[in-house]
Amino acid sequence: MTLLARLASDVQLMFRRPPRQQYGAICYRGKKKSGEVEVLLMTSRDTGRWVIPKGWPMTGKCAHEVAAQEALEEAGVRGVAETETLGAYTYPKVLRDGVQVVCKVQVYALEVTEMVKNFKEKGERRIEWVSLDEAAGRVREPELRGLFLAFKRKMSDRLSPKAAKQQAPAAKQIPAE
C-alpha cells in the first residue's frame, strides 16, 4: 500500500462514525381462524419503503419499552414486547439536516393485543398486516429480511407440540441508554 493510499484510508476511518442506536419492533398477531402468524409492516414517511416501527432511545425506558412505545406512536398498536432481542439490522438514514448516518436497530418481538384508533402518526404511513414471508419479501434491508425469516422459524418452533413442553430461559432487560 502506498503512503498516499494509507493516508486516504486513515482519513476515511477518522470521519467514519459508529452507527446510531435505535430500537424497533416486529409486531405480530395470530389469525383467529387459522392461527397463522402475521406481522405489521408500515411505510416510512420519507421514501415510502416498507419498514417496522423504530425510534431513538428514550430516557428512563428499557430498549424493549422504547420498541413498544414506537409501535404505538407510529402504527397504533399496543402489546407485550419481549425483553430479549431478536437481533439487529443496519440501514442508512438521512437526518433532517441532510446528513446521512448509519443506524443500528435492535429488534424486539411485540405481540399485539390492541389496535388504537387515534395515534401520533396516523395518516402519515400505510399500515398492512402480512405473512412473515411477504414481510421478508417487501423490506429492502437484507438483515431485516433475515430477522423476519428467523422469527418465522422461532414462531413455528414455539407453536409445535414439542416446543410447548420446553421452558424458555429467563430473558434479561437491556436498558435503552
Side-chain angles (χ1 to χ4, degrees), residues 51-121:
V51 297
I52 62 172
K54 63 188 169 303
W56 305 107
M58 297 176 187
T59 304
K61 288 191 184 267
C62 291
H64 70 281
E65 294 171 326
V66 172
Q69 182 67 35
E70 292 298 333
L72 177 60
E73 290 178 8
E74 294 181 356
V77 295
R78 282 197 177 103
V80 179
E82 293 183 9
T83 57
E84 188 175 329
T85 183
L86 292 171
Y89 72 98
T90 56
Y91 76 100
K93 178 174 184 65
V94 178
L95 300 176
R96 287 188 184 130
D97 60 8
V99 174
Q100 184 172 339
V101 297
V102 174
C103 292
K104 180 180 179 183
V105 184
Q106 273 180 230
V107 179
Y108 297 85
L110 183 138
E111 184 173 11
V112 174
T113 57
E114 177 186 3
M115 293 184 69
V116 299
K117 290 186 182 194
N118 294 308
F119 52 97
K120 189 175 181 179
E121 296 184 16

